[in-house]
Amino acid sequence: MDLAETEEEREFRAGLRAWLAKTLPELPPRPSPDDWPGRRAYDLGWQRRLYDAGYAGLHWPAAAGGRGAGPARHLAFLEEAERAGAPYVGANFVGLLHAGPTIAAEGTPAQRARWLPPVLRGEEVWCQGFSEPGAGSDLASLRTRAVRDGDAYVVTGSKVWTSHAEIADWCELLVRTGPDAPRHRGLTWLAMPMDAPGVTVRPLRTLAGSAEFAEVFLDGVRVPVAYRVGAEDDGWRVTMTTLSFERGTAFAGEVVACRRTLGALARAARANGRWDDTVLRRRLGRLAAEFAALWRLTQWNVSAAERTGGVPGAGGSVFKLAYSQARQELYDAAAEVLGADALALEEEWVRERLSSLSYTIAAGTSQIQHTIVAERILGLPKGR
């Protein structure tokens, strides 16, 4: 990939920068971190503004309702949005960054027409129903059952750590349809409406005080067969597509945000005298180099995905490993800069530090990513 921008791409960046400068001051105040209904309304409102201005789904294929723009515009959008302090995807994370791309890659034309436009227009929120009690990152061990009954599946079981379940309209749900098949087979990917009878959501409060996760209990929930993405019992392959997006590109915008936070940390350290600590200065310098390298890796992953049909490859696991660790180290450094204020929950950096503890678990633990890198990139023998 040639990283030098063309004249057309420079014009795109300038137009986007001007639009952001005009639009951001018009936004209403952001709701509190724990006001999820308010955050849903705020995040969907921002997504609608992006859609109306032609900036929604920039890198999605045109056949899926996107703009079909190349990786250069996608990356330019991430840089400019973060530089301007634009809202993050927030409640739209699952729909925009992995359920939507999965349906674009694996869904039928009718499924793309039904589910993708509302995501891009900021009308519907998705949650992720993969993890289960006793089967966190080991998805092949999941036990939630779906039994075919005419034109529907009857789903029974439970999920945990379900992102945004409390405010979601749809759930990307992984279920077992072939109980006698080997554990990596007999799985099916379903789109489940969250208002279906038999769905119960119980929010989980995290260490940082947020309730963005939930337990979801499924008691005889009927999901139409037409809502199945991919073939029955082929859910493992479809899920690998979902996880490729989640690990390969979904965190790309957060790398830009971390670089901005790093700059703010340096300014805060100069202001409160912590900058005189040479150990801290070296730590911030090393983190600056790591996030610069992560952004280059992001550019490589996005470019590689474009060349191979839009689905990121195993390189996403390299990114996920390094990013998870760097993010935790970033907010550990923030605690050093804050000093005694590092115990104050009202400080944004303190909440982010507590949240960062989950990053080496979320989207597949670091142990899972090590295994993927060993087997799929280094070609080492598979474990038994």
Side-chain angles (χ1 to χ4, degrees):
M1 177 186 178
D2 182 2
L3 296 178
E5 289 187 337
T6 65
E7 181 61 31
E8 188 179 41
E9 288 162 354
R10 282 193 290 274
E11 289 178 5
F12 167 80
R13 186 185 287 272
L16 171 60
R17 189 174 294 182
W19 181 80
L20 288 168
K22 173 181 178 299
T23 306
L24 292 180
E26 300 171 353
L27 294 181
R30 298 191 191 203
S32 70
D34 205 27
D35 177 11
W36 278 97
R39 291 179 68 174
R40 172 189 161 110
Y42 184 89
D43 295 338
L44 292 183
W46 172 243
Q47 182 63 24
R48 182 68 197 200
R49 285 174 184 260
L50 290 172
Y51 179 84
D52 289 342
Y55 292 120
L58 274 179
H59 61 294
W60 283 25
R67 301 286 171 176
R73 291 194 183 195
H74 178 200
L75 294 168
F77 174 84
L78 294 175
E79 288 177 333
E80 293 300 327
E82 189 54 46
R83 183 175 291 125
Y88 188 51
V89 289
N92 293 311
F93 183 89
V94 175
L96 281 170
L97 301 182
H98 43 95
T102 300
I103 292 167
E106 301 286 348
T108 65
Q111 290 172 338
R112 294 189 198 110
R114 165 60 188 90
W115 287 314
L116 299 184
V119 170
L120 291 177
R121 290 195 299 258
E123 296 170 352
E124 293 180 344
V125 169
W126 285 67
C127 63
Q128 186 180 43
F130 282 9
S131 296
E132 294 188 6
S137 289
D138 184 13
L139 291 178
S141 296
L142 68 81
R143 291 178 294 182
T144 291
R145 289 282 310 275
V147 178
R148 182 80 175 258
D149 180 23
D151 61 356
Y153 291 101
V154 179
V155 182
T156 303
S158 66
K159 298 289 178 178
V160 71
W161 305 120
T162 306
S163 309
H164 307 320
E166 190 179 10
I167 55 168
D169 303 289
W170 293 89
C171 177
E172 54 174 15
L173 185 71
L174 193 60
V175 296
R176 186 167 294 284
T177 44
D180 299 324
R183 67 193 206 109
H184 287 85
R185 300 174 185 170
L187 301 174
T188 299
W189 200 107
L190 300 175
M192 181 185 73
M194 290 298 288
D195 61 353
V199 177
T200 301
V201 176
R202 189 160 65 191
L204 291 170
R205 190 165 296 280
T206 69
L207 183 66
S210 174
E212 63 189 272
F213 300 113
E215 295 176 290
V216 177
F217 300 94
L218 308 166
D219 183 11
V221 181
R222 294 185 69 84
V223 179
V225 174
Y227 291 176
R228 183 188 70 216
V229 176
E232 183 173 295
D233 295 340
D234 194 29
W236 182 260
R237 186 190 61 79
V238 179
T239 298
M240 291 304 102
T241 299
T242 305
L243 296 179
S244 294
F245 283 113
E246 186 175 20
R247 297 163 183 168
T249 54
F251 295 111
E254 295 187 24
V255 175
V256 187
C258 286
R259 295 179 73 179
R260 190 174 67 169
T261 298
L262 194 56
L265 279 180
R267 289 191 292 276
R270 288 189 180 95
N272 70 7
R274 296 288 292 138
W275 192 250
D276 295 335
D277 184 338
T278 55
V279 175
L280 176 63
R281 288 208 307 272
R282 288 196 193 100
R283 189 175 190 180
L284 296 180
R286 181 175 55 78
L287 282 168
E290 289 192 14
F291 280 108
L294 278 168
W295 183 242
R296 291 302 186 194
L297 183 58
T298 298
Q299 290 174 316
W300 188 91
N301 281 337
V302 170
S303 178
E306 292 290 330
R307 290 197 307 272
T308 56
V311 179
S317 289
V318 178
F319 171 85
K320 173 64 173 53
L321 266 174
Y323 172 68
S324 298
Q325 188 63 41
R327 186 181 176 96
Q328 289 182 350
E329 292 181 9
L330 172 68
Y331 286 103
D332 284 347
E336 285 193 39
V337 173
L338 286 169
D341 288 341
L343 299 176
L345 265 180
E346 60 273 19
E347 288 280 354
E348 181 180 355
W349 289 344
V350 176
R351 293 195 302 272
E352 291 289 349
R353 186 188 187 204
L354 295 175
S355 176
S356 74
L357 297 176
S358 68
Y359 271 67
T360 47
I361 301 173
T365 64
S366 291
Q367 288 85 353
I368 291 285
Q369 309 310 324
H370 278 296
T371 299
I372 293 172
V373 171
E375 294 179 354
R376 301 184 195 172
I377 296 179
L378 301 179
L380 298 178
K382 291 188 176 182
R384 296 179 179 175

